[in-house]
Structures are given as structure tokens and as C-alpha cells.
Amino acid sequence: RILILGANGQIGSELAAALRLKFGVDNIITSDIREPRERAENEIFELVNVLDKDRVKQLFEQYQPTQVYLLAAMLSATGEQYPQKAWDLNMNGLLNVLDLAVDLGIKKVFWPSSIAVFGPHSPKVDTPQYCVMDPNSIYGISKLAGERLCEYYHKKYNLDVRSIRYPGVISWKTEPGGGTTDYAVHIYFEALRNGAYTSFLSEQTELPMLYMQDAVRGTLELMDAPADKLSIRSSYNLAGMSFTPKDISEEIQKILPSFEISYTENDPRQAIADSWPKRINDDYARKDWGWKPSFDLETMTKDMIENLKSTI
Ligand code: VAH
């Protein structure tokens, strides 16, 4: 049985769908702080606040999950508006899950980190697994601290906790909220709704990105990998593609020639994006568990527009 905490979010909701397909709907328990807008047929859903340790413990005891995915978090842009809340949710939510997983013998835990753990003095190109990491967003600080905790709990308690430093993840099923990379999601929605988009990041802002299908496949491949193959117990660098708002708008124009992009200045998210790398090196993921992305900007754009056309 698998319990997903934070199953309503952009990644949680699609991991839940993939896990239901893989293990059957009766073996997946989804949970979040509020009811989901819609549920899959026969989906088992529970309300939970990951900061309520007794309630999380109750779910662990009731469902006896062999795996727990903790996807509940506050992302970078929202985190800058509520830094104390972001720290509390991202850190104490993780600590609750790590402690309960050790106490109750959960076999495997997944926790998402982010390229936000890198900062202004990290190498911008071909950013390695190990380097200077001086994140200056509360989200990035909480993810860096979280990675250290995961590695500590693995070494001290032999907890099989696994993690990926996601780039910006792009998907069409949910309109994600609160991320700095979310311009690359909204641009597709706006391209179809209004034929135009105003980007809050400048046209040359290059960021590492990953299509949701690749993010989900990479996560399941990591979780399926033999434990003795994993040399990283903080969090794995994972790369898909890197592009700028200019690149993505030109790719959209190949399909929607009349699409127009414009740019705002001085959005607070620009400073967050400028502190992050442009291109990530993911040699460890490729070596340890055979990671390889399958979508690039062209194939992702085709897939996004095709799917959004049928939903918008
Ligand atoms: C954010 N989408 O923008 C998330 C992610 C690397 C970006 O962490 O905050």
C-alpha cells in the first residue's frame, strides 16, 4: 500500500494517477489538507494536515503503507510571501514523516527536493551534484535543509528515503500555483485561451525544466531501483531540458503562429529565477539508476497544446 501526502498538488496528483495505474486503486491512499476537486473512481482519500503528527500517525497505523510519498510543500514564490509558514510546513512536515517512518517501519519514503537548493554562487551551467549551495529563497533553504535531514535519517536509522531535485515541472492537468517556473505552464494555457501571454520572467531567463511524464517516470524508476545502487541519499540532480521564455514562445508560434508574448519588469520572481542554475548535470541519476529524459521542448509543446486543446 502507498500513502501520498499532498496528493492534490501539481506533482502529487499525477504521481497518484500513475501509482493507481501501477498498483491498483485499492493500494493507493491519497491525502491532502482539503478535499480534491475531483476523485478517481473508488479513490481512497483522507483529509490530513502533515503538521498534525498524531493525525499522520493515525493514517500510518490505519493503512500500514509500505511506501509514503510526501508532496505537501509551499513553493518558492508563495514562500517568499509567507516565509515562516513555508519553513514550518516544508521542515516540520518532513520531520513528522521521517520520524513516523522510522518509528513505524515504513519501507520507502519519497520526498521532492528542487533545483532551488542551488544559489547565486552555485555553477550556473552543468550544475553538478556536489557544489556550493547558497539558496536565498526560503523554499530553497528549506529544501537544502530537508536534503540534509533525509541523508541523516538514512545514515542514522537506515531509513530508505529517496529524493529528486526537480527542475521546473510542466503539466497540463493542473494549473499549479506559487512556483517561479510556473510561467512555463501558464504560457500554454494563455496561448490557447487568449493567444497571448505576459511573462513575469525576462526573455533570456534560462531555467532547467522537466515535462510531467518524465518527472513521474523518473520518480517511479528511482523508487524501483535497488537500494544498493543508490549512491545519493540527499537528493538526485535530474535534468530534462532548459529553455528561456523566448525559446518556449517561438516553439508555441510554430503551432499557433499568431501567439504573442510580452514581458513585465521587476516581478519579484525574477530575482528567484536569477539565483537558480540554467542547466543541470544529472550524471549520478544516469549512472545509478539509468535516468534518461524522453521529452524536449518541441515534443513537450506539441503534447501540451494537443491536450490543452481538448480540455480548454
Ligand atoms: C518552484 N516549481 O518554482 C517549483 C520548483 C525549481 C522550481 O521548485 O518553486
Side-chain angles (χ1 to χ4, degrees):
R1 271 231 175 105
I2 297 178
L3 169 64
I4 303 169
L5 299 160
N8 292 355
Q10 181 198 16
I11 295 178
S13 57
E14 301 220 33
L15 270 179
L19 289 165
R20 277 195 291 270
L21 267 181
K22 186 170 178 180
F23 296 108
V25 66
D26 296 342
N27 290 312
I28 308 301
I29 297 90
T30 51
S31 66
D32 210 306
I33 197 160
R34 62 183 67 82
E35 284 289 334
R37 265 198 303 279
E38 56 186 311
R39 285 193 197 185
E41 179 143 7
N42 304 323
E43 178 176 350
I44 309 165
F45 177 84
E46 295 282 357
L47 283 172
V48 64
N49 178 340
V50 292
L51 295 178
D52 178 351
K53 192 171 181 179
D54 291 339
R55 173 64 179 143
V56 177
K57 182 166 190 254
Q58 187 189 32
L59 285 183
F60 280 25
E61 288 172 340
Q62 180 181 348
Y63 289 103
Q64 311 275 324
T66 51
Q67 296 187 36
V68 174
Y69 286 65
L70 171 58
L71 280 301
M74 191 184 288
L75 296 186
S76 59
T78 312
E80 290 310 296
Q81 292 167 2
Y82 310 102
Q84 289 72 22
K85 271 210 177 94
W87 177 262
D88 186 27
L89 170 58
N90 295 0
M91 295 319 302
N92 292 317
L94 174 60
L95 270 168
N96 285 346
V97 169
L98 291 174
D99 282 330
L100 288 168
V102 171
D103 297 348
L104 300 172
I106 305 293
K107 280 200 178 49
K108 280 183 198 172
V109 175
F110 177 76
W111 176 76
S113 183
S114 160
I115 56 126
V117 295
F118 298 110
H121 294 90
S122 307
K124 288 279 185 219
V125 175
D126 203 30
T127 310
Q129 181 70 38
Y130 294 103
C131 64
V132 167
M133 300 163 85
D134 55 344
N136 55 18
S137 68
I138 191 69
Y139 171 76
I141 294 165
S142 74
K143 288 298 183 182
L144 180 54
E147 291 189 3
R148 302 284 97 236
L149 278 176
C150 291
E151 189 181 81
Y152 181 84
Y153 273 68
H154 174 70
K155 290 214 168 18
K156 192 165 179 83
Y157 304 109
N158 200 30
L159 179 65
D160 188 353
V161 50
R162 305 181 183 194
S163 179
I164 284 174
R165 289 172 183 160
Y166 288 123
V169 175
I170 296 170
S171 61
W172 52 271
K173 286 184 188 157
T174 55
E175 286 202 57
T180 298
T181 57
D182 292 341
Y183 88 88
V185 179
H186 294 142
I187 192 168
Y188 290 110
F189 282 81
E190 294 306 294
L192 284 163
R193 281 186 186 132
N194 314 318
Y197 177 68
T198 303
S199 171
F200 54 77
L201 295 184
S202 67
E203 71 172 346
Q204 295 311 329
T205 306
E206 184 176 7
L207 287 171
M209 300 282 186
L210 186 63
Y211 198 31
M212 179 61 81
Q213 280 90 309
D214 276 344
V216 169
R217 176 174 56 83
T219 306
L220 300 191
E221 284 172 1
L222 169 60
M223 293 304 274
D224 286 344
D228 59 7
K229 290 270 191 293
L230 304 182
S231 63
I232 301 289
R233 288 294 183 163
S234 50
S235 187
Y236 276 92
N237 277 10
L238 201 80
M241 60 190 100
S242 286
F243 55 75
T244 65
K246 186 171 187 299
D247 297 329
I248 190 171
S249 62
E250 287 169 359
E251 202 57 44
I252 292 172
Q253 280 157 353
K254 288 181 191 169
I255 303 173
L256 307 169
S258 61
F259 171 69
E260 286 181 3
I261 188 165
S262 55
Y263 298 90
T264 55
E265 312 266 315
N266 311 321
D267 186 293
R269 288 164 287 190
Q270 184 65 51
I272 298 173
D274 290 343
S275 73
W276 290 349
K278 296 174 187 294
R279 264 162 272 142
I280 298 282
N281 175 292
D282 57 5
D283 286 350
Y284 278 83
R286 290 170 184 263
K287 183 174 60 64
D288 288 4
W289 43 280
W291 164 247
K292 197 171 172 319
S294 54
F295 280 88
D296 61 16
L297 181 54
E298 183 186 0
T299 49
M300 172 178 73
T301 300
K302 284 199 181 81
D303 197 66
M304 279 293 280
I305 291 179
E306 232 163 76
N307 282 290
L308 281 174
K309 264 187 182 148
S310 54
T311 52
I312 286 184

